[in-house]
Amino acid sequence: GWAMDWLVKSPLEGNARFVLGPLLERRDLDKAAEAAVGRAMDWLTKFPLEKNAPFVLGPLLGRRYLDPSAGERAITLAFNWLLGFLDTEAADLILKHLLARPWLPTDRIGDLKRRAIAQLRDRVTDTKDQNTSFLLKPWLNCRVRHQDLDREIVGLAIKWLRTHTGHEAVDFVFN
């Protein structure tokens, strides 16, 4: 349709994310899906550490089928982006899709968990920190297991819950 035509004809600019994200979320693209994925990869290559990359990278990782090389590349882009933005609310947009993917490298997930734990230790009791809930939730739902790290994340979640009893995000974090 018109969105793909625009993406193909237009130079890749930062605001292309407004077309790419919704396009990648569609499941009815058939042959255009490959082109949309390719254009998203081009955009992410040009803007790999863009603050708004989750609006393209999240839907890309959320696609059920990505060919193996595109899947690996998307996972690498996600890990690289998360290194700089793990403590932001936008990280949840990537983590929820990344952590749902099969065959993730357990060592890299472990590294991200360690980083998240280091950031959460000082933040879970801060009642003014609104982003803590977005950092806790994906790690509580992570299927890649690291027994000691997971135990620490659960402990931090309990500290957060004790500090934020009655907070509107309680259901979000624990459901």
Side-chain angles (χ1 to χ4, degrees), residues 10-170:
S10 302
L12 277 178
E13 295 180 7
N15 62 3
R17 72 181 179 275
F18 295 115
V19 176
L20 283 166
L23 197 58
L24 291 167
E25 289 173 342
R26 292 184 52 182
R27 301 293 177 230
D28 63 340
L29 293 179
D30 299 324
K31 294 177 184 175
E34 265 185 67
V37 167
R39 209 62 177 140
M41 290 295 196
D42 293 343
W43 188 90
L44 289 163
T45 298
K46 187 173 181 179
F47 302 101
L49 300 178
E50 164 71 34
K51 181 178 85 169
N52 293 311
F55 297 104
V56 175
L57 192 49
L60 179 64
L61 288 164
R63 292 196 63 80
R64 289 186 188 220
Y65 176 77
L66 284 176
D67 72 64
S69 76
E72 285 180 35
R73 192 165 162 221
I75 289 169
T76 298
L77 288 163
F79 278 118
N80 293 342
W81 187 89
L82 286 165
L83 291 176
F85 297 94
L86 185 62
D87 64 337
T88 66
E89 183 178 332
D92 180 57
L93 296 172
I94 291 180
L95 285 169
K96 71 181 179 183
H97 293 296
L98 175 68
L99 296 175
R101 295 200 68 81
W103 308 293
L104 292 171
T106 57
D107 57 331
R108 298 217 46 203
I109 295 296
D111 291 342
L112 282 178
K113 280 184 185 182
R114 284 181 200 85
R115 287 174 182 267
I117 289 168
Q119 292 175 9
L120 285 166
R121 280 188 186 124
D122 296 328
R123 296 173 60 184
V124 293
T125 57
D126 181 353
T127 56
K128 294 178 182 157
D129 188 340
Q130 300 299 311
N131 289 334
T132 308
S133 61
F134 292 99
L135 189 52
L136 275 171
K137 183 178 177 75
W139 297 115
L140 289 171
N141 294 317
C142 182
R143 297 181 302 169
V144 179
R145 298 288 172 227
H146 299 89
Q147 188 174 13
D148 293 340
L149 298 175
D150 294 342
R151 188 177 298 120
E152 190 163 359
I153 289 169
V154 169
L156 289 166
I158 291 169
K159 272 187 183 177
W160 180 85
L161 180 61
R162 286 184 180 139
T163 306
H164 295 81
T165 302
H167 190 279
E168 62 190 31
V170 168

